[in-house]
Amino acid sequence: MAFSARYLRRRLLNGFNLGVSVLATVFGLFWLGWLMWTLVSRGLRWIGPSLFTQSTPPPAAAGGGIANAIVGSLLITLVGVVVGTPIGILAATWLAEFGRHSRIAAVIRFVNDILLSAPSIVIGVFVYAVVVARFGHFSGWSGGLALAIIMLPVVLRTTEDMLILVPDQLREAAAALGAPQWRVVVTVVYRASLGGILTGVMLGIARISGETAPLLFTALNNQFWSSDMSRPMANLPVMIFQFAMSPYDNWQHLAWAAALLITLAILALSLIARILIRANAFVK
Amino acid sequence: MADSFFRGITRLAALLVLALMAGILLVLLVQAWPAFHRFGWHFFSGTQWDPVTNQFSALASIFGTLVTSLIAIIIAVPVSFGIALFITELAPAWLRRPVSTAIELLAAIPSIIYGMWGLFVFAPVFSEYAQPWITDHIGNWPLVGVLFQGPPMGIGVFTAGLILAIMVIPFISAVMRDVFDLVPTVLKESAYGVGCTTWEVVWNVVLPYTRVGVVGGIMLGLGRALGETMAVTFIIGNSHDISRSLFMAGNTISSTLANEFTEAVGPIYTSSLIALGLILFFITFVVLGLAKLMLLRMGTREGRKS
């Protein structure tokens, strides 16, 4: 069979473009591989028991660990989760159960989606102006508040998506048994979408635990062990920033070790959340 | 009684989202006012940023923000399109999910990690192998050549844009993938039926059908690139000069904030920085708002099917 020149040209164009598409995918995966390899090859050898038991060392000193930064990060993130999650879930409940088709709900969704992608550094500036400037000093609380503001839209968004997936028949069945609306929501709708809501919370935690920019102006950093939330507080992201930019070898090593730890934790969280979201009964 | 209480507190939480947005805008506006008042329109047009003489204007930072994001979009859009095409049309079923997930993980890696990697690993490699070659071969082209001249430092505006591209690829490709999946199978099969190749189906059927969603996804990526802070702060070199070459150091609104905010002395310095933040918030608000409107028209919600 003889191919016409035109047919051949179309086939070639097709083959070439599809080949480029495969290359684009390889290009995307290549960076992921390079990043992970960098973290493992530069960070792994500095991970040891002292990393988790000692506080960050002074400049140019040997040894030390990042225990204070780990604890600080956990505390600040905890505040972010504890403040951000309930508000997000309640707001999503209103959008999904009460105001679903109202105009104001549409506006709230719109604003929430913008907050979801808003620059986190601006949130940091906002919390600085409202909290830090007023009280006159940086604090762990203000860092937690900044993270809560970033967490809120993530939780709201996923929770609403999950609540909407719960079939209306379930709500009607519960209402037919005489349950007041709040009981329908709490004991039927929440329970049916619990997995999805938890997934949203996990994605939110994954998002905020690596945030650096908003903590620069709020929690700042602290070289010493501190669990006082009203003072400047050590935390992994800001510590990584300061140590990586420093000229001291030991600080840089600690920064790489911390970078590896935090990335592995976040990737694990996101992967588990993704697996859970697929396992959720209502999501296909 | 309990019902109206429950209803009331969920409503309060929902309204809090609006209050938060209004509060951010209001607080930034009030705090930025001294700078706007003192410098007037000059704040947007001047290039001076001098803490010593207290002269501040935002043009260099705004320019850097727009240029780095533009570079990121120019690189990320074709790549994301290729990835979405691969996932929706080419990959065998067993490969789709792992590849999608791996690309999405690029978005989960914290910005600061991109920054460290960019500064300590990528920039040295880039300056040693790629930059001299680009300067030698493209640097003498008319018009565009001047963009690629200068010492091979590794860091600079171009590197920042390239790393931003890697960071926004997962967002753009996820939206593209999801809107491509929305194309009715019948439509694609009809095109295949009249003898179209895969590429012709994608280019002539899938892309026109999903145009609005694709543009929405690109705007979403642009919104992300504009506000990205830590990665850019590490690798852009932080200079308040506008230079003609993309290989020179520059800065963006967010990197200026990250570098100078905690060290700013005096009310007018701080106010100028907050004014920068307000400008950034306003730009991303507009871009993300447009993205959202386009995606709404496409019937998807930021790439996730509802």
Side-chain angles (χ1 to χ4, degrees):
Chain A
M1 204 170 108
F3 295 134
S4 71
R6 182 172 195 172
Y7 180 62
L8 203 64
R9 207 169 58 231
R10 288 174 55 208
R11 286 286 298 266
L12 278 176
L13 183 70
N14 184 50
F16 179 78
N17 284 331
L18 297 189
V20 170
S21 144
V22 174
L23 283 182
T25 310
V26 172
F27 179 82
L29 297 175
F30 164 74
W31 302 108
L32 184 67
W34 193 0
L35 271 162
M36 291 313 294
W37 168 246
T38 300
L39 287 176
V40 171
S41 66
R42 295 201 171 207
L44 195 59
R45 72 189 114 144
W46 310 110
I47 292 182
S50 62
L51 201 66
F52 302 98
T53 54
Q54 296 183 21
S55 291
T56 42
I66 53 170
N68 54 335
I70 295 177
V71 172
S73 254
L74 288 176
L75 283 173
I76 294 171
T77 310
L78 186 73
V79 173
V81 174
V82 168
V83 176
T85 307
I87 301 176
I89 292 179
L90 287 174
T93 308
W94 190 78
L95 291 180
E97 303 293 329
F98 300 109
R100 196 182 284 195
H101 300 294
S102 63
R103 173 157 291 193
I104 182 103
V107 174
I108 290 172
R109 279 187 201 106
F110 185 82
V111 167
N112 188 67
D113 275 7
I114 286 178
L115 280 178
L116 191 66
S117 303
S120 57
I121 192 155
V122 175
I123 310 286
V125 172
F126 170 69
V127 174
Y128 174 89
V130 173
V131 181
V132 178
R134 189 142 307 163
F135 289 92
H137 56 80
F138 299 97
S139 65
W141 287 119
S142 58
L145 183 64
L147 293 187
I149 295 176
I150 297 168
M151 176 102 182
L152 166 65
V154 183
V155 174
L156 195 163
R157 174 60 181 281
T158 34
T159 305
E160 200 211 342
D161 284 353
M162 291 302 151
L163 295 183
I164 284 178
L165 288 172
V166 176
D168 275 340
Q169 288 91 319
L170 272 183
R171 296 188 178 88
E172 285 157 10
L177 290 174
Q181 200 165 7
W182 71 271
R183 287 213 64 153
V184 175
V185 172
V186 173
T187 56
V188 176
V189 181
Y190 281 170
R191 185 176 286 184
S193 51
L194 190 62
I197 296 175
L198 284 179
T199 311
V201 175
M202 285 175 68
L203 286 175
I205 297 173
R207 166 86 198 270
I208 63 173
S209 48
E211 280 290 353
T212 314
L215 295 181
L216 284 175
F217 318 144
T218 52
L220 203 65
N221 199 357
N222 188 340
Q223 193 201 321
F224 304 105
W225 183 277
S226 165
S227 54
D228 181 359
M229 294 290 287
S230 58
R231 313 296 320 170
M233 198 164 199
N235 59 85
L236 283 172
V238 177
M239 179 229 112
I240 293 174
F241 181 50
Q242 289 183 351
F243 281 24
M245 292 296 224
S246 78
Y248 312 110
D249 280 348
N250 186 38
W251 271 17
Q252 294 207 345
H253 298 158
L254 288 172
W256 283 109
L260 175 64
L261 283 181
I262 202 167
T263 308
L264 287 181
I266 291 172
L267 290 187
L269 258 177
S270 340
L271 276 176
I272 295 170
R274 265 160 233 279
I275 292 165
L276 282 180
I277 219 167
R278 261 168 232 150
N280 192 337
F282 292 110
V283 189
K284 280 287 176 297
Chain B
M1 176 58 197
D3 239 9
S4 58
F5 173 74
F6 186 68
R7 205 188 161 100
I9 115 168
T10 59
R11 194 182 156 89
L12 203 65
L15 290 175
L16 189 70
V17 175
L18 294 184
L20 198 59
M21 178 62 95
I24 292 173
L25 278 174
L26 198 70
V27 165
L28 292 183
L29 196 62
V30 167
Q31 302 271 337
W33 188 249
F36 286 138
H37 184 71
R38 170 139 168 204
F39 302 118
W41 287 110
H42 188 66
F43 191 75
F44 296 93
S45 58
T47 52
Q48 228 182 357
W49 187 272
D50 191 351
V52 181
T53 58
N54 263 337
Q55 287 299 320
F56 300 102
S57 42
L59 192 64
S61 295
I62 297 175
F63 179 78
T65 301
L66 297 179
V67 169
T68 48
S69 302
L70 192 69
I71 296 171
I73 289 300
I74 290 174
I75 298 172
V77 167
V79 174
S80 306
F81 177 65
I83 292 173
L85 173 60
F86 177 78
I87 291 171
T88 54
E89 302 290 333
L90 291 180
W94 59 270
L95 199 59
R96 273 177 205 174
R97 193 159 276 172
V99 171
S100 292
T101 308
I103 295 289
E104 279 170 21
L105 284 185
L106 276 176
I109 295 175
S111 167
I112 189 166
I113 308 293
Y114 280 96
M116 281 176 87
W117 167 82
L119 180 63
F120 295 111
V121 181
F122 180 75
V125 173
F126 185 65
S127 70
E128 190 165 347
Y129 299 104
Q131 255 178 330
W133 188 90
I134 297 175
T135 307
D136 285 349
H137 288 82
I138 307 180
N140 48 18
W141 288 9
L143 291 175
V144 291
V146 68
L147 295 176
F148 299 100
Q149 285 168 357
M153 296 186 294
I155 57 174
V157 175
F158 182 81
T159 317
L162 182 63
I163 289 178
L164 279 180
I166 304 170
M167 300 179 76
V168 299
I169 282 172
F171 294 101
I172 303 180
S173 64
V175 175
M176 286 188 179
R177 179 196 66 205
D178 290 349
V179 296
F180 286 179
D181 272 339
L182 290 178
V183 179
T185 319
V186 181
L187 220 58
K188 286 197 276 182
E189 282 173 354
S190 326
Y192 279 119
V194 296
C196 287
T197 61
T198 308
W199 172 254
E200 286 163 348
V201 171
V202 170
W203 193 252
N204 298 317
V205 176
V206 174
L207 213 50
Y209 188 88
T210 55
R211 200 174 43 225
V212 183
V214 167
V215 176
I218 294 172
M219 303 281 276
L220 184 73
L222 181 62
R224 287 274 172 176
L226 287 167
E228 196 45 70
T229 307
M230 298 317 292
V232 176
T233 306
F234 268 92
I235 43 200
I236 199 162
N238 303 310
S239 135
H240 280 289
D241 302 320
I242 297 180
S243 54
R244 222 180 277 173
S245 169
L246 297 180
F247 284 170
M248 299 297 280
N251 67 0
T252 68
I253 292 178
S254 50
S255 73
T256 304
L257 279 169
N259 275 314
E260 300 181 18
F261 196 79
T262 43
E263 278 143 34
V265 195
I268 199 74
Y269 192 1
T270 306
S271 174
S272 301
L273 285 166
I274 294 180
L276 279 183
L278 180 66
I279 295 169
L280 175 66
F281 194 64
F282 182 75
I283 299 174
T284 48
F285 188 98
V286 172
V287 170
L288 293 169
L290 286 174
K292 172 82 180 149
L293 287 177
M294 287 176 170
L295 289 173
L296 271 181
R297 265 178 67 189
M298 195 60 215
T300 73
R301 308 193 48 198
E302 224 172 52
R304 221 170 303 167
K305 274 169 277 179
S306 51

